């Protein structure tokens, strides 16, 4: 009995294989390029929509619309400085509060906490980042606002009202709403995002660097300040910009606690407004084609330019840190 020879597999020519790979690469490049083009078109269309929509406001009030301290719907007279000032100051307060919280939490999770505890706390931080912004606004309205009105501002007024410079920051009726309250709520919102990014950056740091520093007798403070911070500077800047971007455009949480008064002043406890909160409150009441609606769209356009400026500044800082 003779056995039939085994069937040899069909050989695929090298040119045919290269042709298939070339087609797959071409299709992949087309898909990826199309996705990036869609994002670019959407972003350009958004900027164009805001710019064209706010054209009437810029034509009526000129480029000085950005620095006009007036918002009077009755007289049909508008300016962007009051909400823009509130946006910038509340964002800076939120970032200044959130940055040390995020850095300390991330460093503790990666360098000090036991692995099991770090896993639980890290998961809790990530869940906190998923809380809707309106929940933070309600929490701020029912918790932070009364606390600021009953305890913080009266204490500050009683002890520091005669101190030059500080009295300008604390004067006003104790309503509880204002830039400081908005900054605290923003800090609680953006701190989980910043913590998550910084934790990933610290975790990616080679363990040999820490171990070498500890082996040379460095303390935890030395390791943090002289090893972790220089190595993670770029990631920390990225985390800060991520938090700042969310704080600049936050709407509902700020609307609950800032007081929504279109005025400019240095008191951190006086009611103010932001660009996002003003648009959210007055957009439904603005008729189509009105100067008021055009002014709101111009505010959105200025806010986008402010976001682009902060992103450009962050890229410059990242380049300097390399």
């Amino acid at each position: 009995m003779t056995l039939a020879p085994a069937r040899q597999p069909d050989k695929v020519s090298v040119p045919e294989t290269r042709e298939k790979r070339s087609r797959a690469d071409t299709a992949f490049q087309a898909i990826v390029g199309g996705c990036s083009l869609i994002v670019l078109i959407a972003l350009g269309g958004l900027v164009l929509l805001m710019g064209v929509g706010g054209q009437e406001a810029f034509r009526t009030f000129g480029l000085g619309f950005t620095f006009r301290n007036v918002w009077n719907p009755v007289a049909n007279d508008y300016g962007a400085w009051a909400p823009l000032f509130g946006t910038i100051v509340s964002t800076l307060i939120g970032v200044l509060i959130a940055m040390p919280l995020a850095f300390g939490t991330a460093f503790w999770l990666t360098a000090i906490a036991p692995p099991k505890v770090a896993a639980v706390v890290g998961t809790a931080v990530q869940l906190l980042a998923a809380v809707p912004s309106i929940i933070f606004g309600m929490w701020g309205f029912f918790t932070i606002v009364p606390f600021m009105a009953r305890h913080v501002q009266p204490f500050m007024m009683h002890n520091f009202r005669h101190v030059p410079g500080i009295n300008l920051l604390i004067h006003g009726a104790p309503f509880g709403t204002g830039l400081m309250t908005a900054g605290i709520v923003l800090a609680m919102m953006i701190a989980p995002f910043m913590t998550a990014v910084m934790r990933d950056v610290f975790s990616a740091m080679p363990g040999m660097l820490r171990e070498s520093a500890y082996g040379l007798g460095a303390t935890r403070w030395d390791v943090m300040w002289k090893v972790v911070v220089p190595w993670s500077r770029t990631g920390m800047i990225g985390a800060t910009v991520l938090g700042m971007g969310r704080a600049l455009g936050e709407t509902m949480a700020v609307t609950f606690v800032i007081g929504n008064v279109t005025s400019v002043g240095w008191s951190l406890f006086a009611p103010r407004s932001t660009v996002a909160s003003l648009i959210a409150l007055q957009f439904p009441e603005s008729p189509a084609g009105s100067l008021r609606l055009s002014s709101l769209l111009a505010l959105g356009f200025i806010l986008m330019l402010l976001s682009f400026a902060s992103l450009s500044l962050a890229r410059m800082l990242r380049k300097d840190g390399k």
Side-chain angles (χ1 to χ4, degrees):
M1 181 177 181
T2 59
L3 298 176
R7 183 180 179 183
Q8 297 294 330
D10 296 336
K11 294 184 178 181
V12 181
S13 62
V14 175
E16 184 178 355
T17 304
R18 292 180 178 176
E19 184 179 357
K20 289 182 178 180
R21 291 180 178 178
S22 177
R23 291 177 182 177
D25 291 341
T26 303
F28 178 74
Q29 291 179 5
I31 293 174
V32 175
C35 293
S36 61
L37 184 61
I38 291 174
V39 173
L40 184 61
I41 292 176
L43 182 60
L46 187 60
V47 175
L48 184 64
L49 173 65
M50 293 295 174
V52 173
Q55 187 175 3
E56 184 180 355
F58 289 117
R59 187 186 302 114
T60 302
F61 305 109
L63 295 179
F65 170 80
T66 305
F67 300 101
R68 298 183 78 244
N69 183 20
V70 59
W71 191 270
N72 190 352
V74 178
N76 218 22
D77 192 12
Y78 305 101
W81 180 237
L84 190 61
F85 177 83
T87 299
I88 295 173
V89 175
S90 61
T91 299
L92 290 177
I93 294 174
V95 171
L96 290 176
I97 296 175
M99 187 183 301
L101 292 176
F103 178 83
T105 304
F107 184 80
W108 181 80
L109 289 173
T110 55
I112 300 177
K116 293 183 179 180
V117 177
V120 175
V121 177
T123 303
V125 170
Q126 293 177 355
L127 292 176
L128 187 62
V131 176
S133 60
I134 194 170
I135 302 301
F136 282 101
M138 296 174 64
W139 166 74
F141 182 79
F142 289 109
T143 304
I144 304 299
V145 171
F147 181 78
M148 299 290 286
R150 297 171 185 172
H151 303 285
V152 177
Q153 190 175 0
F155 174 82
M156 298 292 291
M157 288 290 294
H158 179 74
N159 294 279
F160 300 100
R161 61 182 176 181
H162 299 298
V163 179
I166 297 181
N167 57 351
L168 298 177
L169 302 177
I170 62 175
H171 74 276
F175 295 120
T177 57
L179 295 173
M180 180 58 71
T181 306
I184 293 174
V185 174
L186 287 175
M188 295 300 103
M189 291 183 58
I190 65 178
F193 290 91
M194 298 170 63
T195 301
V197 175
M198 290 186 185
R199 182 190 181 190
D200 292 338
V201 173
F202 295 165
S203 298
M205 180 179 178
M208 181 179 62
L209 297 179
R210 290 196 187 95
E211 294 174 1
S212 300
Y214 286 129
L216 293 174
T219 62
R220 282 177 175 172
W221 171 262
D222 294 331
V223 172
M224 180 187 71
W225 187 248
K226 298 180 181 180
V227 179
V228 176
V229 171
W231 193 91
S232 308
R233 180 179 177 182
T234 301
M236 292 170 59
I237 293 174
T240 303
V241 173
L242 177 65
M244 184 184 299
R246 183 177 184 187
L248 283 172
E250 181 52 44
T251 305
M252 293 309 301
V254 175
T255 304
F256 271 87
V257 299
I258 200 169
N260 303 302
V261 176
T262 52
S263 62
V264 175
W266 291 109
S267 177
L268 301 180
F269 298 98
R272 297 287 181 254
S273 65
T274 64
V275 173
S277 65
L278 186 63
I279 293 175
L281 290 175
Q282 299 199 9
F283 188 84
E285 303 174 358
S286 303
S290 63
L291 182 60
R292 185 178 183 181
L293 179 61
S294 179
S295 299
L296 293 176
L297 293 174
L299 282 176
F301 180 74
I302 295 173
L303 183 60
M304 293 190 65
L305 294 181
L306 182 62
S307 300
F308 291 155
S310 63
L311 179 60
S312 301
L313 178 61
R315 292 180 64 88
M316 292 176 57
L317 293 175
R318 290 182 61 183
K319 290 181 180 180
D320 293 340
K322 291 182 179 179

